[in-house]
Amino acid sequence: MSDYKHILLAIDLSDDSPLVCQRAQSLAKLYNAKVSIIHVVEPLSFTYGSDIPLDFSSLQDELLLQSKNQLLSMAKTIGVDEDDCHLVLGRPETEIHKLGIEVGSDLVVVGSHGRHGLALIFGSTANGVLHGACCDVLAVRVKDGN
């Protein structure tokens, strides 16, 4: 196995994100690898569907602004440049795969809650990233909020 050269860190900005960041940072130091970070915001229309005739644009803009501030703050704590931070609107699995290819990552680090039951059947972001990735994926086990 060759050393990792470019790690893509996918975070959800939850309370567990610092642990996932720490794992990626440790690997980056070990392999002297570059780190890029992605956070994907799902459009509110995905969540609430088109059944609700409301304009979510200002709420979506505020969510993106808050997410950007949190993303940059986390990046700063692990020494990742702002140019290597990516805030994207879309489906997490799809956008993580796309950016991974664009930046040439050879490892994706993502948190995993170890879901069970219906959550497992319907899938998770970590599972979606794992099954569509063109490189290695490290799923960092984090505590489940329930």
Side-chain angles (χ1 to χ4, degrees):
M1 176 176 110
S2 64
D3 290 348
Y4 295 116
K5 293 176 178 39
H6 195 151
I7 298 170
L8 178 59
L9 169 58
I11 57 174
D12 63 3
L13 302 177
S14 69
D15 291 342
D16 299 314
S17 291
L19 172 63
V20 181
C21 290
Q22 183 273 326
R23 295 285 167 83
Q25 181 186 36
S26 294
L27 286 168
K29 285 181 181 177
L30 179 67
Y31 292 111
N32 195 29
K34 176 178 181 163
V35 176
S36 294
I37 305 177
I38 184 172
H39 173 68
V40 182
V41 176
E42 288 193 74
L44 292 174
S45 60
F46 286 3
T47 305
Y48 296 104
S50 58
D51 295 339
I52 301 174
L54 297 173
D55 180 11
F56 290 114
S57 59
S58 62
L59 185 56
Q60 188 79 64
D61 291 343
E62 181 62 29
L63 181 60
L64 285 168
L65 179 62
Q66 288 180 10
S67 296
K68 180 179 181 178
N69 291 336
Q70 285 182 279
L71 175 64
L72 294 176
S73 176
M74 283 196 185
K76 185 176 181 180
T77 64
I78 61 169
V80 174
D81 292 335
E82 185 174 343
D83 291 343
D84 295 317
C85 295
H86 305 270
L87 180 64
V88 183
L89 192 63
R91 294 271 187 206
E93 303 87 356
T94 303
E95 298 303 329
I96 292 166
H97 293 152
K98 187 174 13 172
L99 183 63
I101 292 168
E102 285 176 21
V103 301
S105 65
D106 46 14
L107 176 66
V108 175
V109 177
V110 63
S112 173
H113 294 273
R115 302 277 188 226
H116 301 285
L118 287 176
L120 182 61
I121 292 168
F122 291 119
S124 68
T125 299
N127 190 43
V129 171
L130 175 65
H131 290 290
C134 296
C135 65
D136 292 349
V137 176
L138 172 63
V140 176
R141 178 63 64 119
V142 296
K143 69 182 181 331
D144 197 350
N146 298 329

